Amino acid sequence: MHEMAIAEGILDIAKEHAARENSSRITKIGLLIGEMAGVEEDALRFCFSTLVRGTLAQDAELSIKRVPLVGRCGACGREQPIENYNFICPKCGGGLAVVSGRELRVEYLEMD
Ligand SMILES: [Zn+2]
């Protein structure tokens, strides 16, 4: 499952930081996930909760922030939210290029 690989990546990052900070417990992991990153939030939470058992992140809260999909028109420069996969600029009919909404990253970590 795709979300399992993502959860493993997140846990690896958290463990690495904890080791560097000499921390024994990770309390919170802040994630930034774009609407178009292709990540199922429930599946990710589930995978993460099974993965962290017995690790220093087993009590960590997963705080997920979704980033809306926004595009910028290549012709007129207008920026606007993209809905229903409509990548056509409503103002001039030009094509919208994605400026945000594909993010998938650990934004911050809290640990003891
Ligand atoms: Zn336009």
Side-chain angles (χ1 to χ4, degrees):
M1 200 194 297
H2 168 68
E3 276 77 9
M4 187 54 95
I6 296 168
E8 279 171 0
I10 294 165
L11 185 58
D12 281 349
I13 292 170
K15 277 177 173 171
E16 232 178 81
H17 278 267
R20 207 176 302 155
E21 306 281 323
N22 280 321
S23 157
S24 57
R25 204 171 76 95
I26 296 160
T27 53
K28 195 170 180 180
I29 300 174
L31 294 178
L32 214 56
I33 300 178
E35 294 292 352
M36 228 177 95
V39 179
E40 197 62 61
E41 193 174 318
D42 290 345
L44 181 61
R45 285 185 185 280
F46 175 77
C47 291
F48 191 77
S49 69
T50 59
L51 262 186
V52 295
R53 269 177 216 150
T55 75
L56 73 182
Q58 69 174 354
D59 299 320
E61 181 199 336
L62 214 50
S63 170
I64 296 178
K65 200 161 95 188
R66 303 298 301 226
V67 183
L69 187 58
V70 175
R72 184 188 293 121
C73 176
C76 74
R78 182 190 166 106
E79 268 189 29
Q80 70 149 55
I82 296 170
E83 278 161 14
N84 303 316
Y85 298 97
N86 181 3
F87 283 76
I88 297 167
C89 175
K91 198 178 166 194
C92 75
L96 299 175
V98 173
V99 291
S100 75
R102 283 184 172 145
E103 296 82 353
L104 175 54
R105 64 172 181 265
V106 176
E107 197 182 20
Y108 63 89
L109 289 169
E110 288 175 14
M111 42 201 158
D112 283 348

